[in-house]
Amino acid sequence: QRPLASKELKAWRWRKMELRVEAALGFTLPKNCFIGVRVGDVLKQGRYEPQRCYNFPQLDRRRNAKVDIYQHVGTCMVAVDPDTKATHEVAVSSLDPETPASRIKIHVAAMSEENKQQREQRTKALKVQARDYLMKYSIEERLSEAVKALLKEQPADPTAFLCKQLTDWDKASAVTKEAAPAASDLPQVFEDESVNRLRKDARE
């Protein structure tokens, strides 16, 4: 059996996948309902049809799929212009006999470049803050070591095992800090005066 080439290996890792949702035997879904399927950051939606397939490309590992069932209660249409700030009040046509017709307000406004930059800066600051927090408490390292130990031991209660691993890490870190010598206790190293003189002459 020949080894996979790089292109074949890449294609194997990034597999396409399709999901199909249908009511189980003896059960029915509400009429005119919609299905939403989310895998990672990808969301697919559509009117419920037992034969409809939801395609998800480029999946590299096992993931959880979240399936939501929506009831379409009403609909409306409004014209929007990104260059015009406006408020529209429109009627919503009810598709459910038990839901009365209603009206809603839709506010439309273009996002200014300044607001966009502020949002990007705020997002960047939050990312930096989150990264610094993770680094300060070695969260990623702790979780990585705990998961490795979990996969190695495969205990019956993984939650309790992970909690114990993280707690033991805290205890070990506390002992290490207590055992570490203070800066004032470290021996002071003084360089010979002749060495300092040679360095000074070399700079000049």
Side-chain angles (χ1 to χ4, degrees):
Q1 184 178 1
R2 69 179 182 84
L4 293 175
S6 58
K7 290 184 179 180
E8 294 174 327
L9 184 59
K10 184 176 181 181
W12 179 82
R13 286 178 176 173
W14 297 90
R15 292 184 175 182
K16 294 182 179 180
M17 181 186 68
E18 67 176 27
L19 275 74
R20 189 165 62 86
V21 180
E22 64 175 330
L25 185 64
F27 295 87
T28 59
L29 292 180
K31 188 178 179 180
N32 296 326
C33 70
F34 284 74
I35 302 295
V37 183
R38 179 184 292 277
V39 179
D41 295 328
V42 180
L43 172 64
K44 300 293 182 73
Q45 292 179 316
R47 187 185 298 275
Y48 170 63
E49 297 175 4
Q51 301 305 319
R52 180 190 293 274
C53 292
Y54 302 90
N55 298 308
F56 294 87
Q58 297 184 344
L59 291 179
D60 61 336
R61 59 184 175 86
R62 182 176 178 178
R63 306 291 292 268
N64 290 327
K66 180 183 179 183
V67 179
D68 292 309
I69 302 175
Y70 304 99
Q71 186 68 56
H72 195 178
V73 298
T75 186
C76 66
M77 186 172 293
V78 59
V80 294
D81 186 349
D83 296 327
T84 304
K85 184 178 181 180
T87 299
H88 306 275
E89 183 173 322
V90 295
V92 178
S93 302
S94 176
L95 302 178
D96 184 356
E98 299 181 359
T99 303
S102 60
R103 298 182 68 85
I104 61 174
K105 285 185 177 181
I106 301 176
H107 305 277
V108 182
M111 180 179 292
S112 66
E113 190 65 26
E114 181 179 356
N115 290 339
K116 182 180 179 180
Q117 292 178 356
Q118 289 178 353
R119 188 175 68 174
E120 290 177 350
Q121 291 176 356
R122 184 166 61 251
T123 301
K124 184 177 180 180
L126 289 174
K127 288 182 178 179
V128 171
Q129 181 181 1
R131 183 193 61 195
D132 292 344
Y133 178 82
L134 293 175
M135 293 179 62
K136 179 180 180 181
Y137 295 100
S138 304
I139 300 299
E140 293 180 337
E141 183 181 356
R142 293 185 183 191
L143 291 177
S144 176
E145 294 297 327
V147 171
K148 287 180 181 178
L150 176 71
L151 296 176
K152 181 180 179 181
E153 300 294 336
Q154 297 187 4
D157 189 345
T159 303
F161 182 86
L162 288 174
C163 291
K164 185 177 184 303
Q165 288 291 314
L166 296 174
T167 303
D168 292 345
W169 179 292
D170 289 336
K171 292 179 180 178
S173 299
V175 171
T176 303
K177 289 181 180 179
E178 291 178 358
S184 57
D185 297 334
L186 294 175
Q188 301 296 320
V189 178
F190 298 96
E191 293 184 342
D192 189 83
E193 183 64 27
S194 59
V195 176
N196 293 330
R197 190 180 304 110
L198 289 174
R199 288 179 177 173
K200 183 179 179 181
D201 295 338
R203 288 196 296 268
E204 295 176 350

